[in-house]
């Protein structure tokens, strides 16, 4: 459970971000507490993944700040940002495994790059991380030979390679069958409890959100800002915002134009 | 004063004295307005939508009354019927004509309700076709590209310096892999191309030199042409198509799969990890490939000269030895070194500058090959001019 009384692990204040001068979201502020599982929620195209890219250093915000501990991430010099970034583990939506390496090499690369460990130790650590996420695969297995769920697990193992303090997950259970998604939810909980890692996950998978997330923020496409904060379970029961209620109860909002009207914006 | 134009009086409209009809429909008027009678099959494979002008004809005939449908005689239908009806609805809305879809088959009416009634969003305006705008945009794009290439080259040079101090993130195994790919793996195609070029130069030389009884100088021609010009140029063109394109496609694919984002997120410098081994490998391998290409090119000329042009092997070897100076080999080495760097930088830059779709991968590869080949030839011309100016 989140430690509400302690200083936040991560504080986002007045953040605005977007691509090519455009604004995807603005005035986004929230705290992520240590060892919590924090959800970034919202409809397709609202900017959830873009917010994550801003938080992990891939996209500079146009306004606002992101503090890790007492340090302003984007105000820090690039070398320092890189150092801070090594405290993160990131799992991209597609897995983003390096396709020219084996699954084991994918997990080993961060350790090879940033530690002085010998080859045998790195291999042992990589096999350990793979077995932690429930994979027992041949050392020569290439990413292309794995299923979507297995690739997602390898990506989590890779994100855990440097024992991160914060684990970012972009749509971890998207496209998985319900059993695989449930296993992944349980794995995230185990990792949080076992490693004491803070998890920030982008998701609109309601069962996962209700099952594992302690806290969260809801981004709105229309107003381009956060319209609700709190645990998804609590928001489901108490939110009076029509969009949030509709999202949490998988309903169409009252002013919905109809089933044929779709949002073509991409995240 | 209301200066809006007065609505067109109903009695001025053209009455449907003659039945209005088209492919799969006819129209009749009654007290309620115009009834569009749908007949026969409406299948997209046969036709889609209304014939040109038919919507306007129906609306003109309708005047200010409503439009409704009679689908009793309608056979099979698919999306083509929906295209016709929705276009008619759209046009009717523009003229404030009432539109009643209840006469349509129930399923068609429900699907029609799904179709947005708003006017389709106009396609985003593409780049203006004005010449001045295009030229200006091209100059701005070229400036941005030049800045990106300069930055890439600068970062790579700095990475080289870091690498010399042994503090670079590049993996040795990646460098060796790139060297194998740009070196040994390229030998077959480099062999074929240079052997054939050597043979062709021998044939071309024979055409003129035989007229003067100077057949033996074919060896000089082949030797000088291959060492000074053709081996470096042809090898570079082959490598631009083979390796430059592969670099661009590989990096662009990694970009599309978020693999480069994953490297950046972990803090692995892209220049050290991806770009530097490729540039070092190709820049290092090209001079070796040039030497090899020169040798096999001369061998190609030798085979043609000896077997088809009746020149003795000893004469050919002696003439070749006499004609090739060390300075010309050095000149070729310098050129091939520059060509290798150019091809690698263009390939990597094309990949990094690509978009994230499958089509962008193809475009990046094409771009790398085209710019690589044109760049190599242009650079070779610069070398030729410089050599001429220096009387070299």
């Amino acid at each position: 459970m989140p430690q509400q009384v302690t200083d936040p692990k991560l504080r986002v204040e007045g953040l605005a971000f977007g691509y090519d001068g455009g604004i995807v979201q603005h005035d986004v502020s929230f705290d992520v507490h240590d060892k919590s599982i924090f959800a970034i929620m919202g409809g397709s195209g609202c900017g959830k993944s873009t917010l994550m890219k801003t938080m992990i250093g891939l996209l500079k915000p146009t306004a606002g700040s992101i503090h890790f501990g007492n340090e302003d991430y984007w105000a820090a010099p690039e070398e320092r940002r890189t150092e801070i970034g090594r405290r993160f583990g990131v799992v991209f939506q597609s897995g983003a495994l390096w396709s020219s390496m084996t699954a084991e090499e994918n997990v080993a690369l961060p350790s090879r790059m940033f530690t002085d460990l010998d080859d045998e130790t790195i291999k042992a650590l990589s096999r350990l991380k793979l077995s932690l996420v429930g994979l027992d695969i041949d050392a020569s297995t290439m990413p292309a030979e794995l299923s979507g769920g297995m690739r997602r697990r390898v990506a989590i193992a890779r994100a855990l390679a440097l024992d991160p303090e914060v684990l970012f997950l972009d749509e971890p259970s998207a496209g998985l069958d319900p059993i695989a998604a449930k296993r992944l939810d349980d794995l995230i909980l185990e990792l949080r409890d076992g490693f004491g890692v803070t998890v920030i996950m982008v998701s609109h998978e309601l069962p996962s959100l209700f099952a594992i997330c302690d806290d969260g923020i809801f981004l709105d496409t229309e107003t381009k800002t956060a319209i609700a904060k709190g645990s998804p379970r609590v928001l489901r029961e108490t939110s009076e915002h029509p969009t949030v209620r509709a999202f949490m109860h998988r309903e169409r909002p009252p002013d919905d134009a109809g089933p044929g009207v779709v949002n073509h914006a991409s995240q | 004063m209301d200066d809006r134009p007065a609505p067109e009086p109903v009695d001025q409209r053209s009455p449907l004295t003659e039945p209005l009809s088209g492919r799969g429909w006819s129209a009749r008027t009654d007290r309620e307005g115009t009834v569009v009678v749908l007949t026969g099959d409406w299948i997209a494979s046969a036709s889609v939508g209304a014939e040109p002008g038919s919507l306007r004809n129906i609306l003109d005939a309708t005047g200010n009354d409503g439009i409704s449908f009679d689908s009793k005689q309608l056979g099979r239908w698919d999306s083509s019927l929906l295209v016709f009806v929705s276009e008619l609805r759209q046009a009717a809305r523009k003229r404030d004509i009432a539109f009643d879809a209840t006469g349509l088959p129930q399923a068609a009416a429900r699907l029609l309700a799904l179709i947005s009634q708003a006017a389709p969003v106009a396609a985003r305006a593409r780049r203006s076709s004005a010449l001045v705008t295009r030229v200006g945009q091209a100059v701005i794009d070229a400036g941005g590209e030049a800045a990106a290439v300069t930055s890439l080259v600068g970062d790579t040079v700095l990475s080289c310096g870091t690498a010399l101090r042994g503090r670079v993130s590049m993996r040795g195994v990646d460098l060796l892999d790139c060297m194998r790919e740009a070196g040994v793996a390229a030998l077959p195609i480099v062999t074929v191309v240079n052997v054939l070029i050597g043979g062709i130069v021998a044939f071309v030389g024979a055409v003129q030199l035989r007229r003067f009884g100077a057949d033996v100088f074919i060896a000089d021609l082949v030797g000088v042409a291959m060492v000074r010009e053709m081996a470096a140029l042809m090898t570079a063109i082959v490598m631009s198509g083979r390796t430059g394109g592969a670099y661009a496609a590989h990096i662009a694919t990694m970009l599309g799969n978020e693999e480069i984002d994953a490297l950046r997120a972990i803090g692995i410098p892209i220049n050290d990890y991806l770009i530097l081994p490729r540039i070092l490998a190709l820049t290092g391998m090209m001079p070796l490939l040039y030497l090899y290409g020169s040798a096999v090119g001369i061998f190609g000329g030798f085979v043609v000269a000896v077997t088809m042009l009746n020149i003795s092997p000893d004469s050919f070897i002696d003439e070749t030895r006499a004609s090739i100076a060390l300075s010309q080999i050095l000149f070729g080495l310098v050129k091939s070194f520059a060509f290798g760097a150019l091809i690698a930088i263009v390939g990597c830059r094309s990949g990094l500058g690509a978009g994230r779709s499958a089509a962008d991968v193809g475009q990046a590869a094409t771009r790398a090959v085209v710019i690589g080949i044109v760049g190599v030839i242009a650079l070779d011309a610069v070398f030729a001019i410089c050599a001429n100016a220096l009387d070299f």
Side-chain angles (χ1 to χ4, degrees), chain A residues 94 97-99 101 113 259, chain B residues 114 169 258-259 262-263 266 273:
Chain A
S94 60
L97 297 179
W98 298 305
S99 51
M101 298 179 196
M113 285 289 182
Chain B
L114 286 179
S169 304
E258 294 183 306
E259 293 178 42
L263 287 170
I266 293 176
Y273 184 75

Side-chain angles (χ1 to χ4, degrees), chain A residues 78-79 81-90 98 105-118 122 125 158-164, chain B residues 167-171 260-270 272-273:
Chain A
E78 192 177 346
E79 293 78 17
R81 286 207 304 272
T82 306
E83 283 174 25
I84 297 172
R86 283 181 201 148
R87 289 152 60 188
F88 305 155
V90 183
W98 298 305
E105 284 170 345
N106 263 273
V107 182
L109 184 69
S111 303
R112 286 194 203 287
M113 285 289 182
F114 302 119
T115 69
D116 296 324
L117 298 170
D118 63 78
I122 288 174
L125 277 172
R158 184 179 69 183
L160 294 172
L162 297 175
D163 292 327
Chain B
R167 292 176 52 209
V168 78
S169 304
M170 178 179 67
R171 295 194 312 164
I260 288 183
D261 283 346
L263 287 170
R264 285 196 174 118
I266 293 176
I268 297 175
I270 304 302
D272 290 7
Y273 184 75

Side-chain angles (χ1 to χ4, degrees), chain A residues 20-68:
Chain A
D20 300 327
I23 294 292
V24 174
Q25 289 280 323
H26 63 91
D27 277 335
V28 177
S29 301
F30 58 91
D31 289 348
V32 179
H33 293 277
D34 196 21
K35 301 182 181 56
S36 66
I37 300 182
F38 187 92
I40 300 173
M41 300 169 278
S44 300
C46 72
K48 303 185 296 291
S49 297
T50 312
L51 172 58
M52 193 186 95
K53 284 184 178 175
T54 308
M55 294 169 80
I56 61 177
L58 294 180
L59 183 70
K60 190 172 186 185
T62 47
S65 65
I66 302 171
H67 280 81
F68 288 96

Side-chain angles (χ1 to χ4, degrees), chain B:
Chain B
M1 277 283 291
D2 185 357
D3 54 0
R4 284 179 300 181
E8 200 175 312
V10 174
D11 59 356
Q12 285 183 11
R13 67 183 164 88
S14 332
L16 285 178
T17 47
E18 290 178 13
L20 194 57
S21 64
R23 190 173 54 230
W25 63 273
S26 60
R28 66 164 195 269
T29 52
D30 61 18
R31 288 178 188 170
E32 303 293 321
T34 299
V35 178
V36 178
V37 181
L38 300 166
T39 55
D41 291 343
W42 282 72
I43 302 298
S45 56
S47 64
V48 173
E51 300 95 326
S54 60
L55 293 180
R56 199 184 63 228
N57 290 343
I58 294 172
L59 295 169
D60 286 347
T62 304
N64 293 334
D65 297 332
I67 292 177
S68 58
F69 293 91
D70 175 352
S71 56
K72 293 189 187 77
Q73 299 169 54
L74 179 64
R76 296 180 303 139
W77 59 271
D78 64 8
S79 303
S80 63
L81 176 66
L82 295 174
V83 172
F84 172 70
V85 175
S86 66
E87 284 177 355
L88 188 55
R89 181 179 66 174
Q90 196 73 42
R93 275 174 65 85
K94 282 186 187 162
R95 297 199 191 184
D96 274 342
I97 295 174
F99 184 89
D100 178 8
T102 52
L104 290 170
Q106 196 182 7
R110 289 178 67 177
L111 289 171
L112 190 66
L114 286 179
I115 300 169
S116 171
Q117 293 197 34
V121 178
R124 195 174 294 169
R126 292 192 180 273
R127 191 174 289 178
S128 167
S129 57
L131 182 64
V132 175
T133 310
R134 277 187 289 162
V135 170
Q137 191 61 50
V139 170
I140 292 169
D141 290 348
E145 190 59 28
V149 170
T150 308
S151 168
L152 181 70
V153 172
D155 285 344
T156 306
V157 170
L158 288 176
S159 296
C160 284
T162 318
L164 288 174
R165 295 198 300 274
R167 292 176 52 209
V168 78
S169 304
M170 178 179 67
R171 295 194 312 164
V173 65
D174 288 335
L175 178 61
L176 288 174
D177 198 43
C178 288
M179 287 171 73
R180 184 192 58 77
E181 188 55 38
V184 177
L187 285 180
I189 191 166
V190 169
T191 306
V192 170
V193 168
N194 281 290
V195 165
L196 292 177
I197 291 290
I200 290 166
V201 170
F203 276 125
V204 171
V207 171
Q208 285 298 315
L209 294 172
R210 267 187 175 171
R211 291 171 58 188
F212 306 108
D215 295 26
V216 74
F217 291 112
I218 288 169
D220 298 59
L221 182 65
V222 170
V224 171
M226 291 310 297
V227 169
R228 190 179 169 100
E229 199 63 50
M230 298 309 288
L233 186 65
M234 294 312 297
T235 304
I237 288 173
V238 166
M239 293 305 283
S240 182
R242 183 187 176 280
T243 308
Y247 285 177
H250 186 204
I251 294 172
T253 305
M254 289 183 75
L255 203 62
N257 290 342
E258 294 183 306
E259 293 178 42
I260 288 183
D261 283 346
L263 287 170
R264 285 196 174 118
I266 293 176
I268 297 175
I270 304 302
N271 266 327
D272 290 7
Y273 184 75
L274 272 184
I275 309 301
L276 187 60
R278 284 169 171 74
I279 292 179
L280 285 181
L282 193 52
T283 310
M285 287 295 107
M286 275 294 286
L288 299 180
L289 287 176
Y290 153 74
L291 289 175
Y292 175 77
S294 298
V296 296
I298 291 170
F299 174 73
F302 172 83
V303 171
V304 168
V306 171
T307 59
M308 304 172 85
L309 304 175
N310 300 321
I311 296 170
S312 75
D314 291 342
S315 305
F316 190 96
I317 292 167
D318 290 344
E319 282 298 324
T320 304
R321 275 185 182 160
S323 63
I324 301 173
L326 183 63
S327 60
Q328 284 170 336
I329 296 175
L330 288 175
F331 184 52
L333 281 172
V334 169
K335 284 205 294 188
S336 59
F337 182 83
F339 292 162
L342 175 78
I343 295 165
I345 289 167
V346 166
C348 293
R349 174 60 207 150
S350 298
L352 286 175
R356 293 185 175 234
S357 72
D360 292 326
V361 175
Q363 282 175 2
T366 307
R367 201 173 135 84
V369 172
V370 171
I371 297 177
I373 290 175
V374 173
V376 160
I377 293 171
L379 191 58
D380 193 44
V382 172
F383 272 113
I385 292 166
C386 291
N388 184 55
L390 295 170
D391 212 12
F392 180 70

